[in-house]
C-alpha cells in the first residue's frame, strides 16, 4: 500500500500533481526504489509514430495509442524507443514505440506505427 503523498506531493491543499515522466525521444525509464516499495504499479500511455500521407493532399494514419498499468519488481532501467513518423516515400509507415518494462519485472509494451492508409 502506498501513501497518497507519494503520488500527490501537494496533498492537503486541495490536490496535487501526480508524478510522471514524459519521453519525446528515446531514452531510459528507471523505476525508483520508492516506486517498488509502494507496490511497483504505474500507469502508462504510449503512442506509435504516424504514417506519412500521400504528398500534400492528405494525412497518413496515426499510430496506435496503448495505455494500461504495469507492476514492476526491480529498479533496472527500461529502454524507451520512440517511433518516428513516416518519412521518405508517400505512405511510409510510422515507427513502433516500445517500452521494455520486462527488464524491471513487467512486460514489454508496443504501440504500432501508423500504416495502411495510403491510396496510390
Amino acid at each position: 500500500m502506498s501513501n497518497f503523498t507519494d503520488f500527490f506531493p501537494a496533498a492537503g491543499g486541495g490536490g496535487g500533481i501526480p508524478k510522471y515522466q514524459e519521453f519525446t525521444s528515446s531514452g531510459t525509464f528507471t523505476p525508483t526504489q520508492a516506486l517498488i516499495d509502494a507496490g511497483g504499479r504505474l500507469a502508462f500511455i504510449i503512442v506509435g509514430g504516424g504514417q506519412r500521407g500521400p504528398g500534400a493532399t492528405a494525412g497518413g494514419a496515426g499510430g496506435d495509442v496503448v495505455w494500461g498499468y504495469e507492476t514492476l519488481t526491480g529498479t533496472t532501467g527500461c529502454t524507451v524507443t520512440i517511433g518516428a513518423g513516416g518519412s521518405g516515400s508517400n505512405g511510409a509507415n510510422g515507427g513502433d514505440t516500445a517500452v521494455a518494462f520486462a527488464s524491471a519485472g513487467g512486460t514489454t509494451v508496443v504501440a504500432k506505427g501508423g500504416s495502411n492508409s495510403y491510396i496510390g
Side-chain angles (χ1 to χ4, degrees), residues 71-118:
T71 300
L72 305 180
T73 58
T75 58
T76 303
C78 305
T79 301
V80 177
T81 305
I82 302 296
S87 63
S89 63
N90 290 342
N93 292 344
D96 296 346
T97 295
V99 183
F101 289 126
S103 61
T107 352
T108 296
V109 180
V110 177
K112 302 295 278 177
S115 63
N116 297 325
S117 76
Y118 178 66

Side-chain angles (χ1 to χ4, degrees), residues 1-7 34-35 37-41:
M1 193 73 175
S2 60
N3 295 320
F4 183 76
T5 55
D6 291 341
F7 301 98
L35 172 66
D37 292 346
R41 190 158 168 91

